[in-house]
Amino acid sequence: MKSKLYFTAIMFLGMMGVSNAQAQNPECMTNLSIFSEHAKVKNYEAAYEPWKMVYETCPQLNNAIYVYGERILKDKMKNATGADKEKFANDLMGLYDNKLKHFASKTSQAETEVDKALVMYDNKMADDAKMYSMLSDAFTKDQENFTNPKALYIYFSSLVDENKAGRKDLQEVFDVYDAVTEKIELENEKITGKIAKLLPKEEAGTLTSKEKSRLKSYNSYSEVYGKIAGSIDSKLGPLADCSNLIPLYEKSFEEKKNDVVWVKRAVGLMFNKECTDDPMFQKLFEAQLRLDPSADAYVYGGTLKMKNGDTKGALADFDKALSLETDNEKKSKIAYKVAVINKRKGSKSTARSYAQKAIDANASNGRAYLLIANLYATSANDCGTSAFEKRAMYWKAADMARKAGRVDPSLSGSSSQAANSYSAKAPSKEMIFSSGMAGKTVTFNCWVGGSVKVPSL
């Protein structure tokens, strides 16, 4: 029996592509096979002792020690209480450290620190100060591999709670908010880029089973990032009101006016929070223009010109911004910002034009689709001569809203909410029946243009 298990373990090692001096230990080899077989069928209780023997005796034998060991110890924690639960939690954190030590190619510093921090968080083993310290250290040292959505939220949330307790200042809150939201955007852009490549195949019905699985995974992960981004904004809450932002930036301006990162983040946050009427926005914009006369600077310059009634000059600045930017994702963000500015100004047709430019530059810009949907919905009363025609506009708005969640699942919540709201305002089945419009086409002669087909009953 032992020789059979030994042979199985040898085969297992061969398939894993791992071999070292510890493979010469027959007992480790046998127990590796035993605990692996148990763990595969989730019999973690039976797997524990043979796993523990291999982990303690031959820690470099195979990465399976750490892959299955994590599952085994989490199962132990789930079924334990009190001191035993804490012991297994500490064992799990030690496992993460040893995986980094013995199989560094299979993990990273950030992943290790994040995994340990989440164990402490889930088991209430650390206060806000400890959580923030651990996650801040991991984020600072290895931001590239700090991708866990839950950890990103805890990192920011613990800082906000420390600020409320008077132990961290507001500037640090804004600095981390900017860094974390930029990270979430970056990771979600990677995912939506992958989704964009698969959507045409899905629409054509040519996805392989493997691609279907990938698309499902991408959608799920993007949705999680969207929920986390929303939670982070909620956590920031009134801290980012203009009444807090403006005095803080006024206080720090002289000291920070030559710090290009600080200036760009400050003017960006003031823009996003609609604090552009205050003279501080102009000072920050001028500082950015001096330090980094990039595309974004022209967007903010155009914003100020628009507020001063110089629409022609504003549009010239906006187009200058788009011409300066060569990166399509950045160009898309700029076009979206310009669309938002024109929407705030009430220039719906111009807003749609720039929103479409945002989509043309990056088909995954779901926010641009949501903006267009809103423009359509708020134009319903201006498009059509009858109540039916006016309400038909909501079908067009709902369709655009649904597209937003399709191309960017991180927006699926707001996308579904908007689409459902618009659909509810569209003509009911009773209205369709009584009007005799089922299956016909409604054409819009207002600025929206185009048409929509009425559903058949």
Side-chain angles (χ1 to χ4, degrees):
M1 178 66 178
K2 282 191 175 182
S3 62
K4 182 179 179 182
L5 287 169
Y6 185 80
F7 175 76
T8 302
I10 288 289
M11 293 296 291
F12 182 78
L13 276 174
M15 288 187 291
M16 295 292 287
V18 178
S19 179
N20 54 52
Q22 291 186 1
Q24 303 306 312
N25 186 321
E27 191 173 1
C28 282
M29 294 292 291
T30 299
N31 280 292
L32 170 67
S33 181
I34 292 172
F35 84 69
S36 297
E37 291 303 315
H38 285 310
K40 283 177 185 176
V41 295
K42 300 183 180 181
N43 187 355
Y44 299 123
E45 186 62 34
Y48 178 69
E49 288 299 335
W51 166 80
K52 185 179 179 184
M53 179 270 157
V54 179
Y55 176 52
E56 292 178 348
T57 308
C58 305
Q60 295 174 280
L61 180 60
N62 193 287
N63 187 47
I65 297 168
Y66 302 94
V67 174
Y68 290 133
E70 180 180 30
R71 302 175 196 175
I72 291 166
L73 289 174
K74 282 185 175 180
D75 182 73
K76 281 288 187 182
M77 288 167 58
K78 184 176 72 175
N79 296 306
T81 57
D84 286 340
K85 191 179 186 76
E86 186 171 339
K87 172 194 175 300
F88 289 124
N90 285 318
D91 288 347
L92 181 56
M93 288 189 283
L95 180 85
Y96 293 137
D97 284 330
N98 282 323
K99 181 176 182 178
L100 183 63
K101 177 181 177 182
H102 298 301
F103 288 90
S105 64
K106 302 290 187 181
T107 186
S108 68
Q109 184 69 46
E111 288 175 307
T112 300
E113 295 306 316
V114 163
D115 284 340
K116 289 167 64 179
L118 291 178
V119 171
M120 297 187 78
Y121 178 84
D122 291 339
N123 292 281
K124 298 179 174 57
M125 298 170 69
D127 57 15
D128 288 322
K130 178 66 174 176
M131 290 309 306
Y132 178 65
S133 176
M134 289 180 69
L135 293 173
S136 177
D137 188 58
F139 191 82
T140 303
K141 289 181 178 178
D142 189 11
Q143 187 175 140
E144 181 181 355
N145 291 302
F146 195 124
T147 59
N148 186 292
K150 181 179 178 180
L152 285 166
Y153 174 74
I154 297 169
Y155 173 35
F156 180 69
S157 176
S158 59
L159 171 59
V160 173
D161 290 340
E162 283 291 281
N163 168 260
K164 289 179 180 177
R167 291 187 287 268
K168 293 291 182 181
D169 63 36
L170 194 56
Q171 183 61 61
E172 188 168 357
V173 172
F174 291 147
D175 288 344
V176 172
Y177 171 81
D178 287 331
V180 169
T181 52
E182 285 169 9
K183 178 63 176 175
I184 290 173
E185 282 185 14
L186 176 63
E187 294 303 319
N188 191 56
E189 283 170 4
K190 292 178 184 177
I191 295 170
T192 54
K194 294 174 181 177
I195 290 172
K197 293 178 181 178
L198 293 175
L199 284 180
K201 295 186 71 175
E202 182 187 46
E203 291 168 3
T206 58
L207 281 178
T208 65
S209 58
K210 187 175 290 187
E211 287 171 333
K212 287 179 182 178
S213 178
R214 286 176 184 165
L215 183 58
K216 182 179 179 180
S217 176
Y218 296 151
N219 285 336
S220 176
Y221 224 72
S222 182
E223 286 178 23
V224 172
Y225 273 124
K227 290 175 182 176
I228 291 298
S231 297
I232 286 173
D233 279 335
S234 297
K235 189 72 177 183
L236 182 65
L239 289 177
D241 286 350
C242 298
S243 58
N244 284 324
L245 285 175
I246 294 166
L248 178 67
Y249 293 150
E250 286 176 339
K251 178 183 176 183
S252 305
F253 183 74
E254 286 303 317
E255 178 189 351
K256 299 277 193 178
K257 64 183 180 182
N258 293 316
D259 182 339
V260 65
V261 174
W262 181 86
V263 169
K264 290 175 73 172
R265 285 179 171 176
V267 72
L269 193 52
M270 285 194 74
F271 174 85
N272 291 335
K273 296 300 179 181
E274 299 187 42
C275 307
T276 53
D277 288 332
D278 193 88
M280 192 66 222
F281 181 78
Q282 171 109 25
K283 288 178 71 174
L284 287 165
F285 154 69
E286 290 173 352
Q288 178 171 343
L289 195 60
R290 173 176 55 83
L291 296 168
D292 181 26
S294 60
D296 273 334
Y298 282 95
V299 173
Y300 302 137
T303 304
L304 292 170
K305 287 180 181 178
M306 184 76 81
K307 285 184 175 295
N308 292 328
D310 182 8
T311 302
K312 184 177 179 181
L315 292 174
D317 275 359
F318 297 150
D319 290 336
K320 177 70 173 178
L322 289 172
S323 68
L324 283 173
E325 187 54 69
T326 56
D327 180 279
N328 278 336
E329 286 186 348
K330 291 180 180 178
K331 186 188 288 284
S332 180
K333 289 179 181 178
I334 288 170
Y336 174 73
K337 283 183 180 179
V338 175
V340 170
I341 293 165
N342 282 280
K343 177 177 176 288
R344 291 173 184 170
K345 189 71 174 177
S347 303
K348 293 183 179 181
S349 180
T350 306
R352 179 181 62 179
S353 175
Y354 280 101
Q356 187 58 53
K357 288 179 181 180
I359 293 168
D360 292 341
N362 176 18
S364 298
N365 192 331
R367 295 184 188 281
Y369 281 108
L370 276 179
L371 188 147
I372 293 174
N374 179 264
L375 292 171
Y376 288 169
T378 54
S379 297
N381 287 331
D382 303 320
C383 296
T385 56
S386 67
F388 187 93
E389 289 178 352
K390 292 176 187 291
R391 292 180 65 173
M393 177 60 70
Y394 289 109
W395 279 319
K396 197 172 180 71
D399 182 56
M400 293 301 290
R402 280 189 287 269
K403 284 182 180 178
R406 194 85 184 107
V407 301
D408 183 357
S410 74
L411 301 173
S412 59
S414 51
S415 168
S416 296
Q417 186 176 15
N420 291 337
S421 174
Y422 299 149
S423 294
K425 295 175 182 177
S428 63
K429 289 183 178 180
E430 289 77 11
M431 286 186 70
I432 295 172
F433 178 77
S434 61
S435 67
M437 289 292 291
K440 296 182 179 180
T441 298
V442 176
T443 301
F444 302 109
N445 295 315
C446 60
W447 73 269
V448 173
S451 62
V452 66
K453 187 174 181 180
V454 179
S456 299
L457 294 174

